[in-house]
């Protein structure tokens, strides 16, 4: 339910975060080829029992044709120093490539034992439904931006209806949500950090959270969610925050971007 997020951190910093998380009791690490930190994470994971870690990576939208999915996955496995991923996600939808072709490649990787679960990320309800319609393997997860300022209710409802796990990317709104008056008030009431209040709310909504932090202390604090509860009225206060404010773009604006773009 709580994983170590690793977006936008690399080098020794991401290794420290991963080690701090696993030492504190995390069992879930989330990365992607687009994060450009898989090699460093692989070095950190080498010090732990692989079977104790639920490891996720993602394939970029420019690599969603059949052969490129296979090659991208194999490259991620090599960088991470493992022979399988617990979860492999389509990082962003790519309207220029058939989702059927992408899902056929995912099925091949699953048959080969290189991935154990298939998922998507940043998919709308419409896109997820189309992928489910043509996939020969279950789509286990949709990882989306989810936090009190952007709950994406329609997508979450569709995921619930189709038994798709919702994972929260940017579950803390990249710290912007910390300033919300409701969050501030509840942090004071429960003597918890704003991050802990937000993460607890999401977990109680049965959403998997993947907070990222470059501070080992904050990584440890972000897991301290399971010995206390939010009162129902306080959960409703957070649910009732009326604000639709994404903290990252939900589409790829630069089609030729080297990391997330799509070749012509």
């Amino acid at each position: 339910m709580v994983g170590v997020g690793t977006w936008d951190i690399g080098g020794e910093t991401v290794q420290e975060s991963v080690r701090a998380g696993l030492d504190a009791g995390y069992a879930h690490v989330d990365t992607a080829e687009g994060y450009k930190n898989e090699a460093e994470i692989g070095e950190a994971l080498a010090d732990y029992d692989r079977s104790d870690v639920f490891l996720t990576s993602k394939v970029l939208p420019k690599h969603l044709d059949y052969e490129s999915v296979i090659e991208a996955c194999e490259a991620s496995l090599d960088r991470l120093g493992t022979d399988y991923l617990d979860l492999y996600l389509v990082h962003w939808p790519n309207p220029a490539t058939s989702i059927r072709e992408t899902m056929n490649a995912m099925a091949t990787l699953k048959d080969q034992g290189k991935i154990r679960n298939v998922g998507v990320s940043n998919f709308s309800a419409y896109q997820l439904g189309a992928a489910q319609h043509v996939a020969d393997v279950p789509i286990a997860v949709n990882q989306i931006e989810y936090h009190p300022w952007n709950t994406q209710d329609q997508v979450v409802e569709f995921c619930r209806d189709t038994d798709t796990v919702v994972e929260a990317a940017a579950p803390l709104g990249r710290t912007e949500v910390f300033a919300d008056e409701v969050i501030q008030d509840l942090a004071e009431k429960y003597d918890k950090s704003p991050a802990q209040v937000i993460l607890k709310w999401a977990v109680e909504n049965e959403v998997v959270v993947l907070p990222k932090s470059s501070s080992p202390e904050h990584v440890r604090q972000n897991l301290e969610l399971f010995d206390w509860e939010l009162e129902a009225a306080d959960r409703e206060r957070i649910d009732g925050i009326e604000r639709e404010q994404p903290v990252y773009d939900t589409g790829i604006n630069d089609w030729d971007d080297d990391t997330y773009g799509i070749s012509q």
Side-chain angles (χ1 to χ4, degrees):
M1 290 299 294
V2 185
V4 180
T6 63
W7 171 79
D8 200 34
I9 51 175
E12 293 183 2
T13 302
V14 74
Q15 291 179 334
E16 290 175 359
S17 291
V18 168
R19 291 190 177 105
L22 295 178
D23 290 345
Y26 285 76
H28 185 170
V29 176
D30 179 272
T31 185
E33 65 167 324
Y35 295 173
K36 300 183 179 180
N37 59 14
E38 289 175 316
E40 292 93 332
I41 290 173
E43 291 178 15
L45 292 176
D47 298 329
Y48 299 85
D49 188 334
R50 174 67 183 88
S51 63
D52 291 338
V53 181
F54 188 93
L55 181 60
T56 300
S57 192
K58 311 177 190 75
V59 55
L60 288 171
K62 63 183 179 181
H63 292 155
L64 296 189
D65 63 276
Y66 183 92
E67 292 298 335
S68 294
V69 172
I70 304 295
E71 293 171 1
C73 181
E74 291 174 345
S76 286
L77 292 173
D78 183 61
R79 288 188 291 268
L80 287 163
T82 184
D83 57 5
Y84 74 96
L85 292 168
D86 296 280
L87 177 64
Y88 197 41
L89 304 179
V90 177
H91 202 155
W92 289 88
N94 176 352
T97 301
S98 165
I99 191 64
R100 188 189 302 274
E101 182 174 353
T102 303
M103 287 300 148
N104 286 345
M106 289 289 198
T108 296
L109 289 168
K110 194 170 189 294
D111 288 343
Q112 293 173 343
K114 293 177 181 177
I115 62 177
R116 295 189 172 178
N117 295 280
V118 173
V120 297
S121 183
N122 301 303
F123 272 46
S124 67
Y126 174 84
Q127 292 162 334
L128 175 58
Q132 290 169 333
H133 183 68
V134 301
D136 291 328
V137 291
I139 296 178
V141 164
N142 188 12
Q143 185 180 125
I144 60 173
E145 179 180 343
Y146 179 92
H147 49 75
W149 284 2
N150 189 29
T151 53
Q152 299 205 64
D153 295 341
Q154 182 183 14
V155 180
V156 171
E157 182 179 0
F158 185 81
C159 289
R160 304 274 194 240
D161 290 343
T162 57
D163 294 323
T164 307
V165 174
V166 178
E167 290 187 346
L172 303 176
R174 296 187 177 165
T175 74
E176 292 183 23
V177 186
F178 290 0
D180 190 277
E181 291 183 3
V182 171
I183 300 302
Q184 288 282 332
D185 185 43
L186 295 178
E188 183 175 353
K189 173 179 177 178
Y190 288 91
D191 192 26
K192 301 293 182 182
S193 70
Q196 289 171 319
V197 170
I198 295 167
L199 296 174
K200 183 65 174 179
W201 162 81
V203 167
E204 290 188 352
N205 283 342
E206 298 183 349
V207 172
V208 176
V209 292
L210 304 166
K212 181 264 297 193
S213 178
S214 58
S215 162
E217 179 181 359
H218 289 163
V219 171
R220 289 186 287 269
Q221 288 177 352
N222 289 341
L223 190 63
E224 296 172 359
L225 306 175
F226 300 100
D227 59 353
W228 61 285
E229 294 183 357
L230 289 169
E231 296 175 9
D234 292 330
R235 283 199 305 274
E236 291 174 4
R237 287 185 66 191
I238 300 175
D239 289 339
I241 294 173
E242 294 185 5
R243 191 164 185 169
E244 293 185 14
Q245 185 171 325
V247 297
Y248 67 77
D249 289 339
T250 54
I252 301 164
N253 296 322
D254 184 355
W255 296 108
D256 293 315
D257 178 79
D258 182 57
T259 300
Y260 294 96
I262 298 168
S263 61
Q264 196 167 5

PDB file of all heavy atoms in Angstrom, residues 215-234:
ATOM      1  N   SER A 215      14.789  12.726   1.457  1.00  0.00           N
ATOM      2  CA  SER A 215      15.183  12.697   2.861  1.00  0.00           C
ATOM      3  C   SER A 215      14.883  11.326   3.460  1.00  0.00           C
ATOM      4  O   SER A 215      13.706  10.938   3.544  1.00  0.00           O
ATOM      5  CB  SER A 215      14.422  13.770   3.653  1.00  0.00           C
ATOM      6  OG  SER A 215      14.467  13.516   5.045  1.00  0.00           O
ATOM      7  N   PRO A 216      15.873  10.569   3.886  1.00  0.00           N
ATOM      8  CA  PRO A 216      15.607   9.272   4.519  1.00  0.00           C
ATOM      9  C   PRO A 216      14.656   9.379   5.707  1.00  0.00           C
ATOM     10  O   PRO A 216      13.831   8.491   5.926  1.00  0.00           O
ATOM     11  CB  PRO A 216      17.002   8.802   4.952  1.00  0.00           C
ATOM     12  CG  PRO A 216      17.930   9.438   3.973  1.00  0.00           C
ATOM     13  CD  PRO A 216      17.323  10.796   3.707  1.00  0.00           C
ATOM     14  N   GLU A 217      14.754  10.481   6.459  1.00  0.00           N
ATOM     15  CA  GLU A 217      13.861  10.664   7.599  1.00  0.00           C
ATOM     16  C   GLU A 217      12.410  10.749   7.144  1.00  0.00           C
ATOM     17  O   GLU A 217      11.509  10.127   7.722  1.00  0.00           O
ATOM     18  CB  GLU A 217      14.234  11.923   8.372  1.00  0.00           C
ATOM     19  CG  GLU A 217      13.324  12.184   9.567  1.00  0.00           C
ATOM     20  CD  GLU A 217      13.678  13.461  10.317  1.00  0.00           C
ATOM     21  OE1 GLU A 217      14.649  14.144   9.919  1.00  0.00           O
ATOM     22  OE2 GLU A 217      12.971  13.779  11.285  1.00  0.00           O
ATOM     23  N   HIS A 218      12.161  11.510   6.066  1.00  0.00           N
ATOM     24  CA  HIS A 218      10.796  11.623   5.554  1.00  0.00           C
ATOM     25  C   HIS A 218      10.320  10.306   4.947  1.00  0.00           C
ATOM     26  O   HIS A 218       9.137   9.969   5.048  1.00  0.00           O
ATOM     27  CB  HIS A 218      10.712  12.740   4.514  1.00  0.00           C
ATOM     28  CG  HIS A 218      10.844  14.108   5.097  1.00  0.00           C
ATOM     29  ND1 HIS A 218      11.146  15.218   4.334  1.00  0.00           N
ATOM     30  CD2 HIS A 218      10.742  14.558   6.377  1.00  0.00           C
ATOM     31  CE1 HIS A 218      11.214  16.283   5.118  1.00  0.00           C
ATOM     32  NE2 HIS A 218      10.963  15.901   6.364  1.00  0.00           N
ATOM     33  N   VAL A 219      11.241   9.580   4.317  1.00  0.00           N
ATOM     34  CA  VAL A 219      10.886   8.257   3.783  1.00  0.00           C
ATOM     35  C   VAL A 219      10.364   7.376   4.910  1.00  0.00           C
ATOM     36  O   VAL A 219       9.332   6.709   4.777  1.00  0.00           O
ATOM     37  CB  VAL A 219      12.101   7.598   3.091  1.00  0.00           C
ATOM     38  CG1 VAL A 219      11.789   6.141   2.741  1.00  0.00           C
ATOM     39  CG2 VAL A 219      12.486   8.369   1.835  1.00  0.00           C
ATOM     40  N   ARG A 220      11.053   7.384   6.034  1.00  0.00           N
ATOM     41  CA  ARG A 220      10.607   6.570   7.176  1.00  0.00           C
ATOM     42  C   ARG A 220       9.273   7.073   7.725  1.00  0.00           C
ATOM     43  O   ARG A 220       8.376   6.274   8.026  1.00  0.00           O
ATOM     44  CB  ARG A 220      11.691   6.579   8.264  1.00  0.00           C
ATOM     45  CG  ARG A 220      12.949   5.790   7.893  1.00  0.00           C
ATOM     46  CD  ARG A 220      13.919   5.710   9.046  1.00  0.00           C
ATOM     47  NE  ARG A 220      14.598   6.971   9.297  1.00  0.00           N
ATOM     48  CZ  ARG A 220      15.757   7.321   8.754  1.00  0.00           C
ATOM     49  NH1 ARG A 220      16.369   6.510   7.892  1.00  0.00           N
ATOM     50  NH2 ARG A 220      16.329   8.476   9.040  1.00  0.00           N
ATOM     51  N   GLN A 221       9.121   8.387   7.844  1.00  0.00           N
ATOM     52  CA  GLN A 221       7.873   8.944   8.372  1.00  0.00           C
ATOM     53  C   GLN A 221       6.677   8.601   7.487  1.00  0.00           C
ATOM     54  O   GLN A 221       5.566   8.380   7.987  1.00  0.00           O
ATOM     55  CB  GLN A 221       7.992  10.461   8.508  1.00  0.00           C
ATOM     56  CG  GLN A 221       8.901  10.926   9.630  1.00  0.00           C
ATOM     57  CD  GLN A 221       9.026  12.445   9.667  1.00  0.00           C
ATOM     58  OE1 GLN A 221       8.554  13.143   8.761  1.00  0.00           O
ATOM     59  NE2 GLN A 221       9.661  12.955  10.702  1.00  0.00           N
ATOM     60  N   ASN A 222       6.901   8.534   6.187  1.00  0.00           N
ATOM     61  CA  ASN A 222       5.804   8.282   5.256  1.00  0.00           C
ATOM     62  C   ASN A 222       5.210   6.886   5.400  1.00  0.00           C
ATOM     63  O   ASN A 222       4.131   6.606   4.870  1.00  0.00           O
ATOM     64  CB  ASN A 222       6.272   8.499   3.813  1.00  0.00           C
ATOM     65  CG  ASN A 222       6.509   9.956   3.490  1.00  0.00           C
ATOM     66  OD1 ASN A 222       6.020  10.843   4.178  1.00  0.00           O
ATOM     67  ND2 ASN A 222       7.275  10.213   2.437  1.00  0.00           N
ATOM     68  N   LEU A 223       5.908   5.989   6.092  1.00  0.00           N
ATOM     69  CA  LEU A 223       5.390   4.644   6.325  1.00  0.00           C
ATOM     70  C   LEU A 223       4.660   4.539   7.661  1.00  0.00           C
ATOM     71  O   LEU A 223       3.982   3.546   7.919  1.00  0.00           O
ATOM     72  CB  LEU A 223       6.537   3.629   6.281  1.00  0.00           C
ATOM     73  CG  LEU A 223       6.153   2.147   6.270  1.00  0.00           C
ATOM     74  CD1 LEU A 223       5.356   1.805   5.017  1.00  0.00           C
ATOM     75  CD2 LEU A 223       7.389   1.264   6.381  1.00  0.00           C
ATOM     76  N   GLU A 224       4.758   5.556   8.484  1.00  0.00           N
ATOM     77  CA  GLU A 224       4.169   5.499   9.833  1.00  0.00           C
ATOM     78  C   GLU A 224       2.686   5.866   9.777  1.00  0.00           C
ATOM     79  O   GLU A 224       2.245   6.903  10.265  1.00  0.00           O
ATOM     80  CB  GLU A 224       4.940   6.432  10.766  1.00  0.00           C
ATOM     81  CG  GLU A 224       6.393   6.004  10.969  1.00  0.00           C
ATOM     82  CD  GLU A 224       7.214   7.027  11.734  1.00  0.00           C
ATOM     83  OE1 GLU A 224       6.660   8.084  12.096  1.00  0.00           O
ATOM     84  OE2 GLU A 224       8.419   6.772  11.953  1.00  0.00           O
ATOM     85  N   LEU A 225       1.908   4.972   9.172  1.00  0.00           N
ATOM     86  CA  LEU A 225       0.500   5.251   8.888  1.00  0.00           C
ATOM     87  C   LEU A 225      -0.456   4.230   9.494  1.00  0.00           C
ATOM     88  O   LEU A 225      -1.674   4.408   9.410  1.00  0.00           O
ATOM     89  CB  LEU A 225       0.266   5.261   7.370  1.00  0.00           C
ATOM     90  CG  LEU A 225       1.152   6.173   6.519  1.00  0.00           C
ATOM     91  CD1 LEU A 225       0.838   5.952   5.043  1.00  0.00           C
ATOM     92  CD2 LEU A 225       0.952   7.634   6.897  1.00  0.00           C
ATOM     93  N   PHE A 226       0.059   3.184  10.080  1.00  0.00           N
ATOM     94  CA  PHE A 226      -0.793   2.032  10.361  1.00  0.00           C
ATOM     95  C   PHE A 226      -1.073   1.800  11.842  1.00  0.00           C
ATOM     96  O   PHE A 226      -1.629   0.773  12.213  1.00  0.00           O
ATOM     97  CB  PHE A 226      -0.183   0.784   9.712  1.00  0.00           C
ATOM     98  CG  PHE A 226      -0.054   0.923   8.221  1.00  0.00           C
ATOM     99  CD1 PHE A 226       1.163   1.251   7.636  1.00  0.00           C
ATOM    100  CD2 PHE A 226      -1.158   0.773   7.402  1.00  0.00           C
ATOM    101  CE1 PHE A 226       1.268   1.405   6.255  1.00  0.00           C
ATOM    102  CE2 PHE A 226      -1.061   0.919   6.025  1.00  0.00           C
ATOM    103  CZ  PHE A 226       0.157   1.235   5.451  1.00  0.00           C
ATOM    104  N   ASP A 227      -0.709   2.750  12.684  1.00  0.00           N
ATOM    105  CA  ASP A 227      -1.030   2.627  14.104  1.00  0.00           C
ATOM    106  C   ASP A 227      -1.969   3.750  14.560  1.00  0.00           C
ATOM    107  O   ASP A 227      -2.086   4.039  15.749  1.00  0.00           O
ATOM    108  CB  ASP A 227       0.243   2.611  14.958  1.00  0.00           C
ATOM    109  CG  ASP A 227       1.091   3.857  14.778  1.00  0.00           C
ATOM    110  OD1 ASP A 227       0.758   4.676  13.898  1.00  0.00           O
ATOM    111  OD2 ASP A 227       2.085   4.006  15.518  1.00  0.00           O
ATOM    112  N   TRP A 228      -2.641   4.395  13.610  1.00  0.00           N
ATOM    113  CA  TRP A 228      -3.601   5.448  13.920  1.00  0.00           C
ATOM    114  C   TRP A 228      -4.604   5.549  12.778  1.00  0.00           C
ATOM    115  O   TRP A 228      -4.366   5.003  11.697  1.00  0.00           O
ATOM    116  CB  TRP A 228      -2.909   6.800  14.156  1.00  0.00           C
ATOM    117  CG  TRP A 228      -2.125   7.313  12.970  1.00  0.00           C
ATOM    118  CD1 TRP A 228      -0.912   6.853  12.527  1.00  0.00           C
ATOM    119  CD2 TRP A 228      -2.505   8.355  12.074  1.00  0.00           C
ATOM    120  NE1 TRP A 228      -0.520   7.552  11.407  1.00  0.00           N
ATOM    121  CE2 TRP A 228      -1.457   8.482  11.117  1.00  0.00           C
ATOM    122  CE3 TRP A 228      -3.597   9.214  11.994  1.00  0.00           C
ATOM    123  CZ2 TRP A 228      -1.501   9.419  10.095  1.00  0.00           C
ATOM    124  CZ3 TRP A 228      -3.640  10.150  10.971  1.00  0.00           C
ATOM    125  CH2 TRP A 228      -2.593  10.248  10.035  1.00  0.00           C
ATOM    126  N   GLU A 229      -5.722   6.208  13.031  1.00  0.00           N
ATOM    127  CA  GLU A 229      -6.767   6.331  12.022  1.00  0.00           C
ATOM    128  C   GLU A 229      -7.318   7.751  11.986  1.00  0.00           C
ATOM    129  O   GLU A 229      -7.319   8.446  12.999  1.00  0.00           O
ATOM    130  CB  GLU A 229      -7.928   5.360  12.318  1.00  0.00           C
ATOM    131  CG  GLU A 229      -7.552   3.895  12.209  1.00  0.00           C
ATOM    132  CD  GLU A 229      -8.746   2.982  12.445  1.00  0.00           C
ATOM    133  OE1 GLU A 229      -9.839   3.515  12.756  1.00  0.00           O
ATOM    134  OE2 GLU A 229      -8.580   1.761  12.311  1.00  0.00           O
ATOM    135  N   LEU A 230      -7.767   8.134  10.820  1.00  0.00           N
ATOM    136  CA  LEU A 230      -8.514   9.385  10.680  1.00  0.00           C
ATOM    137  C   LEU A 230      -9.970   9.143  11.067  1.00  0.00           C
ATOM    138  O   LEU A 230     -10.547   8.106  10.697  1.00  0.00           O
ATOM    139  CB  LEU A 230      -8.464   9.887   9.239  1.00  0.00           C
ATOM    140  CG  LEU A 230      -7.140  10.446   8.719  1.00  0.00           C
ATOM    141  CD1 LEU A 230      -7.218  10.633   7.203  1.00  0.00           C
ATOM    142  CD2 LEU A 230      -6.797  11.763   9.402  1.00  0.00           C
ATOM    143  N   GLU A 231     -10.547  10.063  11.782  1.00  0.00           N
ATOM    144  CA  GLU A 231     -11.971   9.964  12.058  1.00  0.00           C
ATOM    145  C   GLU A 231     -12.754  10.135  10.757  1.00  0.00           C
ATOM    146  O   GLU A 231     -12.316  10.835   9.836  1.00  0.00           O
ATOM    147  CB  GLU A 231     -12.384  11.049  13.061  1.00  0.00           C
ATOM    148  CG  GLU A 231     -11.739  10.898  14.422  1.00  0.00           C
ATOM    149  CD  GLU A 231     -12.065  12.057  15.350  1.00  0.00           C
ATOM    150  OE1 GLU A 231     -12.928  12.889  14.981  1.00  0.00           O
ATOM    151  OE2 GLU A 231     -11.454  12.144  16.428  1.00  0.00           O
ATOM    152  N   ALA A 232     -13.899   9.482  10.698  1.00  0.00           N
ATOM    153  CA  ALA A 232     -14.701   9.512   9.471  1.00  0.00           C
ATOM    154  C   ALA A 232     -15.012  10.950   9.050  1.00  0.00           C
ATOM    155  O   ALA A 232     -14.959  11.288   7.855  1.00  0.00           O
ATOM    156  CB  ALA A 232     -15.992   8.725   9.672  1.00  0.00           C
ATOM    157  N   ALA A 233     -15.311  11.803  10.016  1.00  0.00           N
ATOM    158  CA  ALA A 233     -15.640  13.192   9.690  1.00  0.00           C
ATOM    159  C   ALA A 233     -14.439  13.915   9.089  1.00  0.00           C
ATOM    160  O   ALA A 233     -14.606  14.791   8.227  1.00  0.00           O
ATOM    161  CB  ALA A 233     -16.121  13.924  10.945  1.00  0.00           C
ATOM    162  N   ASP A 234     -13.251  13.557   9.514  1.00  0.00           N
ATOM    163  CA  ASP A 234     -12.050  14.207   8.987  1.00  0.00           C
ATOM    164  C   ASP A 234     -11.719  13.692   7.588  1.00  0.00           C
ATOM    165  O   ASP A 234     -11.240  14.463   6.740  1.00  0.00           O
ATOM    166  CB  ASP A 234     -10.876  13.991   9.946  1.00  0.00           C
ATOM    167  CG  ASP A 234     -11.071  14.739  11.256  1.00  0.00           C
ATOM    168  OD1 ASP A 234     -11.728  15.793  11.234  1.00  0.00           O
ATOM    169  OD2 ASP A 234     -10.563  14.271  12.293  1.00  0.00           O
TER     170      ASP A 234
END
